Amino acid sequence: SNAYVIGTVGRMSKEKNHTFMVRLMGELCKCDNSIMMIIVGDGDDRAKCIHLAQEMGIAHRIIFTGQRSDVNRVMCAFDLFLLPSLNEGLGIVAVEASASGLPVLLSENVPEDLEFIPGSKYLPLKEDLWISEIISRFRYKEERMDNTEVLREHNYDICEAVKTLEKVYCKEKKG
């Protein structure tokens, strides 16, 4: 399809700030009718977000998938990943989005440990800044990137993690 899809994955709770995303979508719908949103996850704020989308008249432009076991497949539909958290421990989901080649917008509340992610940008939680950045990326239509090497360089490699764990367990067994 010709839709530009922005999305996120995570527990739908206050600190993940999904209502911010729904409000963003309300403004984005005024700019272009080919922008869609997918929110993957479930939680206490799901009903609130669905109600807000209905109230704003944009429910048809947001897909609330609920909890999924095939998140990697759903992310294939995204063009841009958003993580506008009010509070975030690490934001490993942003690394997962990057691993699938997506550019990522993160709130300034996400640890700066993820600055290395290609195509990522940290923004304060001001709707106008997020809208401008999303519209800019929508017009530019970035291609997916192969971030494999960058992620490996920053120790996000499951094969290397397994080797490290094997070494730890082998030392424990001997000691």
Side-chain angles (χ1 to χ4, degrees):
S1 119
N2 291 331
Y4 184 79
V5 181
I6 57 177
T8 196
V9 175
R11 186 180 75 257
M12 294 189 73
S13 59
K14 182 179 179 179
E15 61 272 1
K16 299 300 181 178
N17 209 9
H18 290 90
T19 54
F20 178 81
M21 289 184 61
V22 174
R23 287 192 313 273
L24 284 179
M25 192 60 188
E27 292 303 312
L28 292 166
C29 287
K30 296 174 187 176
C31 300
D32 193 285
N33 64 5
S34 67
I35 298 175
M36 299 291 294
M37 180 178 282
I38 298 175
I39 297 178
V40 180
D42 210 349
D44 295 341
D45 275 8
R46 184 169 190 223
K48 180 180 180 179
C49 289
I50 291 171
H51 178 74
L52 180 60
Q54 290 168 339
E55 202 173 74
M56 296 175 73
I58 59 168
H60 64 288
R61 303 278 294 279
I62 303 176
I63 298 169
F64 295 93
T65 69
Q67 192 167 344
R68 300 282 299 242
S69 61
D70 61 344
V71 172
N72 59 325
R73 292 184 60 201
V74 178
M75 274 195 204
C76 288
F78 294 5
D79 293 297
L80 178 63
F81 188 87
L82 308 181
L83 192 59
S85 301
L86 297 170
N87 185 330
E88 191 69 50
L90 174 59
I92 197 72
V93 70
V95 175
E96 292 169 348
S98 178
S100 72
L102 287 169
V104 179
L105 296 184
L106 310 119
S107 80
E108 291 179 327
N109 301 319
V110 177
E112 292 178 6
D113 300 4
L114 304 178
E115 284 181 317
F116 72 89
I117 296 175
S120 69
K121 185 170 185 176
Y122 282 85
L123 295 170
L125 286 171
K126 295 182 179 174
E127 286 182 28
D128 59 327
L129 296 176
W130 284 70
I131 290 164
S132 294
E133 187 66 28
I134 292 167
I135 292 296
S136 171
R137 288 170 184 252
F138 164 68
R139 290 193 176 123
Y140 177 64
K141 295 215 178 19
E142 298 168 276
E143 293 293 318
R144 285 189 178 254
M145 303 165 278
D146 181 356
N147 296 329
T148 310
E149 286 307 313
V150 174
L151 292 171
R152 274 192 190 123
E153 289 169 14
H154 288 84
N155 300 316
Y156 290 98
D157 181 332
I158 191 67
C159 295
E160 290 303 315
V162 167
K163 289 177 189 174
T164 301
L165 279 173
E166 284 176 342
K167 288 177 187 175
V168 168
Y169 288 137
C170 287
K171 281 183 185 176
E172 295 264 330
K173 196 174 181 180
K174 291 178 184 176

